[in-house]
Amino acid sequence: MSLIPLKPLLDYATKNRIAHGAFNVNMITQAEAVIEIHTIFQSAAIIQGADLANAFMGGRADFMNGTLEDKKLGAKRIADAVKRIAKTTNIPIVLHLDHGKSFDAVKAAIDAGYTSVMIDGSSLPYSGNVELTREVVQYAHARGVSVEGELGVLAGVEDDVFSEASTYTNPMTVCDFFRKTGCDCLAISYGTKHGAVKGNNIKLRKEIAIASMENMRHEGIEGALVSHGSSMVPKYLVDEINELGGKLANAVGIPVYELLEAIPCGISKINIDTDIRLAVTRNLRRMFIENSLVKKEFPKIWELMQAQPEQFDPRYYLVPIMAPLIGGENRDGEAWSTLLRGIKRGVMEAVGSAIVQFGSVGDAPKIPQISLEEMADIYKKKV
Ligand SMILES: [Zn+2]
């Protein structure tokens, strides 16, 4: 199947009071795994590439310093791969840019084949955020591509998205933001946090989602809400990583029951990145300890993992095999296939549990297969 925009998924999720997980990937193997597990559960899939994931995919091990040219190359690589894999399955798939920081970065993703984009103008003053988001909406909607904005500031760290403190989203301005920008969905700040250290006993301020949706209903505004920084950071994964020589201190996520309560309040898309990194890291740590063949074949990876026990972002320790990973190269040999299987199974463990928890199992046949051209026409009629 070909890729679809995010909008039909959001409409379905909002109407049926379920949420779709949106899963960050940094390499083609991970995208394959996300699609495979969604196919098993017959759930529509949202694959996310963050702005800096595109830089990594563009060949930058120091992805934090990636240029626009690196991001263009990376976006094209991942989009081409996802389109190719999508042809082998019957589920609808969305390829979404996470935390696009500038109009140019968003344009690069759309031109490469992304079917949905986030423009994160949350660090700008309100009027600047509105202006930037509106500009992106004009470019994206003309091509049938969906747009996510952000209002309010999330605390925590994720790639180059960092904030010491959070500012909750004001539900009174949500309608105004949707009306002025025309975006399809909005990431709100209501108590979630980027990264693996989210703090104990987090209580989400679900009343922010309720009030936002209620205001929108009164004003006749269509739109969905998105929950960023929502990894659950399962305790068993943290414990196992630490037992396998890792050093994760204070890693605590959003309690799953808090997320489940947020869904009927209007949250339709829940972003998951950290949980995938954790499950992959646990698998690889165990593999290097137990599998002498893998250890012998890839000694540099294990060295990097041991030198950085606190690190759970696979991009930092998979650098020695970065080229084949971003190129989607299939190498011969048992060690190579075992390593890839460890990565894939980690992704599937984290993603599969989110698909089940958030309620998207079996919805793939119910989501309309709208092409970007058809979506562009729908947007045009709305203006
Ligand atoms: Zn985020």
Side-chain angles (χ1 to χ4, degrees), residues 289-320:
I289 289 168
E290 292 176 358
N291 188 317
S292 53
L293 184 68
V294 172
K295 200 168 159 184
K296 193 167 146 249
E297 193 85 15
F298 304 107
K300 289 250 153 48
I301 296 177
W302 186 224
E303 265 172 39
L304 286 170
M305 291 187 90
Q306 285 178 304
Q308 310 168 83
E310 71 297 335
Q311 188 53 259
F312 61 93
D313 180 345
R315 284 175 295 187
Y316 286 98
Y317 55 76
L318 290 177
V319 173

Side-chain angles (χ1 to χ4, degrees), residues 98-168:
D98 191 25
H99 286 290
K101 280 292 188 187
S102 65
F103 180 83
D104 285 341
V106 167
K107 183 176 177 299
I110 294 173
D111 295 349
Y114 276 65
T115 57
S116 179
V117 290
M118 177 194 193
I119 177 71
D120 178 0
S122 62
S123 58
L124 300 171
Y126 182 70
S127 60
N129 187 0
V130 166
E131 207 173 306
L132 176 61
T133 307
R134 186 167 49 197
E135 193 189 357
V136 165
V137 167
Q138 276 170 0
Y139 187 82
H141 281 189
R143 288 152 185 85
V145 170
S146 317
V147 179
E148 176 180 325
E150 177 162 332
L151 198 54
V153 179
L154 256 76
V157 60
E158 179 189 34
D159 287 350
D160 60 346
V161 180
F162 174 75
S163 178
E164 197 89 52
S166 67
T167 313
Y168 289 119

Side-chain angles (χ1 to χ4, degrees), residues 218-340:
H218 278 293
E219 300 281 314
I221 290 171
E222 241 183 63
L225 303 178
V226 179
S227 187
H228 275 239
S230 303
S231 276
M232 293 161 272
V233 190
K235 189 175 177 309
Y236 76 94
L237 282 179
V238 175
D239 289 347
E240 284 176 42
I241 289 171
N242 288 340
E243 280 159 24
L244 295 162
K247 263 201 193 113
L248 302 181
N250 307 320
V252 185
I254 308 292
V256 63
Y257 53 84
E258 284 289 313
L259 288 175
L260 295 184
E261 281 177 22
I263 295 170
C265 303
I267 298 291
S268 308
K269 173 173 174 278
I270 299 179
N271 288 7
I272 302 287
D273 186 352
T274 297
D275 289 350
I276 296 175
R277 299 179 184 191
L278 290 171
V280 170
T281 298
R282 188 272 321 267
N283 281 5
L284 295 192
R285 281 197 165 270
R286 179 173 293 155
M287 189 179 289
F288 277 101
I289 289 168
E290 292 176 358
N291 188 317
S292 53
L293 184 68
V294 172
K295 200 168 159 184
K296 193 167 146 249
E297 193 85 15
F298 304 107
K300 289 250 153 48
I301 296 177
W302 186 224
E303 265 172 39
L304 286 170
M305 291 187 90
Q306 285 178 304
Q308 310 168 83
E310 71 297 335
Q311 188 53 259
F312 61 93
D313 180 345
R315 284 175 295 187
Y316 286 98
Y317 55 76
L318 290 177
V319 173
I321 55 163
M322 181 176 172
L325 279 182
I326 64 174
E329 198 181 301
N330 227 340
R331 290 191 173 175
D332 289 334
E334 199 188 318
W336 176 255
S337 58
T338 305
L339 188 73
L340 284 199

Side-chain angles (χ1 to χ4, degrees), residues 6-7 10 137 141 145-149 178 181-186 216 222-225 375 379 382:
L6 180 61
K7 181 80 167 85
L10 294 172
V137 167
H141 281 189
V145 170
S146 317
V147 179
E148 176 180 325
F178 270 109
T181 63
C183 67
D184 301 281
C185 57
L186 188 61
M216 285 157 68
E222 241 183 63
L225 303 178
M375 198 68 231
Y379 283 133
K382 274 194 189 158

